[in-house]
Amino acid sequence: MVSELVVFLGPTLSRAEAAGILDATYLPPAEQGSVVRAVRQYSPRALVLIDGSFGRVPAVRHKEVLWALAKGIPVFGAASMGALRAAELSAFGMQGYGFIYRWYSMTPLADDDEVAVAMSPPELGTAPLSEALINIRLTLRRAMHAGIVTADERCKLETLARDTHFVERSYPRLLADARSTFSEASAVALDRLADWLPSGALDRKREDAIGLLTKLARGSGFVGKPLNAPPFRLTEAWAYDLDAAGLWSDDIKLILSDEGS
């Protein structure tokens, strides 16, 4: 099967909305082996990494992105796991897009946790079940500038959000924790924030994903062979990763023959 574009998408943006922007083959969030499988199955003109899985499965490996780049396949990233990998691999030809990608590129020690969210399984649509820390922090900054909370209250709310495990982060949880720990003097501000959030909250991950898909739909993102993509070098660790992803028996001979081994 041949597909112009393959997009790894999950909780950041619904597949229906994404498909309305860009005609592509949409796959669940990438994990270890996903890039290799997609290239072997779809022979895509380009790959787009937005969401990725981790924790319950190994995350998509840097090495398989490098392998795709070395084969001349442009790889784009934005919003979530895609922004992370693009920031890490931009020197090798992966192309990043959006605010979150730029922020990770300029903040080498930033936590992966900033974009992590809980999500439902692929069978249930990989819907988001929590809120990303980076969205919460940007929303609180906006609330401060709008006079909803003070600078001190914003800092305390950010600390509460950061100290909450990513699977439990949400605005209702944040407000409940704040009400139980802040002084009574902040009660009015928290009520203001609760009333403001439905219209004022930012979702930067979603905005970045829409921006990248729109750019690609307009045909303004494609290049030829990825810039700076180095020749791919086979390693023992790469072979172990393929084996762990269940690709050894099916594809390893083809992959090795592709690389001239």
Side-chain angles (χ1 to χ4, degrees), residues 77-204:
S80 193
M81 181 69 77
L84 277 169
R85 289 292 180 265
E88 294 159 344
L89 297 174
S90 60
F92 303 100
M94 186 172 178
Q95 300 173 66
Y97 175 89
F99 173 90
I100 296 172
Y101 158 70
R102 294 191 299 272
W103 180 74
Y104 270 119
S105 296
M106 294 185 296
T107 316
L109 298 180
D111 291 336
D112 295 4
D113 177 62
E114 289 277 352
V115 293
V117 299
M119 61 182 171
S120 63
E123 297 80 10
L124 298 177
T126 60
L129 302 177
S130 62
E131 187 63 64
L133 179 58
I134 196 164
N135 284 342
I136 293 175
R137 294 200 303 109
L138 291 171
T139 293
L140 292 173
R141 181 176 300 178
R142 185 181 190 187
M144 181 189 70
H145 290 313
I148 306 299
V149 296
T150 65
D152 181 61
E153 287 163 343
R154 170 204 156 198
C155 289
K156 290 178 179 177
L157 285 163
E158 278 194 18
T159 299
L160 276 179
R162 190 178 295 280
D163 289 345
T164 303
H165 194 275
F166 77 89
V167 301
E168 298 178 342
R169 283 190 191 122
S170 69
Y171 291 114
R173 168 67 184 266
L174 178 61
L175 288 167
D177 288 348
R179 292 184 195 283
S180 66
T181 58
F182 287 12
S183 68
E184 291 184 8
S186 295
V188 173
L190 293 175
D191 288 341
R192 256 197 326 266
L193 181 61
D195 292 338
W196 176 85
L197 280 171
S199 61
L202 295 171
D203 189 345
R204 197 56 170 164

Side-chain angles (χ1 to χ4, degrees), residues 3-89:
S3 177
E4 280 283 289
L5 285 163
V6 167
V7 181
F8 296 100
L9 182 68
T12 296
L13 186 67
S14 73
R15 184 173 296 192
E17 187 171 4
I21 300 170
L22 178 68
D23 183 23
T25 296
Y26 288 92
L27 301 178
E31 58 189 65
Q32 179 178 279
S34 292
V35 168
V36 174
R37 285 193 177 92
V39 171
R40 301 303 310 178
Q41 183 172 354
Y42 298 103
S43 301
R45 182 184 175 196
L47 293 166
V48 181
L49 177 58
I50 293 175
D51 288 306
S53 294
F54 64 97
R56 65 175 183 82
V57 293
V60 59
R61 298 301 200 218
H62 301 75
K63 192 72 171 178
E64 57 190 295
V65 175
L66 294 175
W67 173 75
L69 291 169
K71 291 176 70 65
I73 302 170
V75 184
F76 300 89
S80 193
M81 181 69 77
L84 277 169
R85 289 292 180 265
E88 294 159 344
L89 297 174

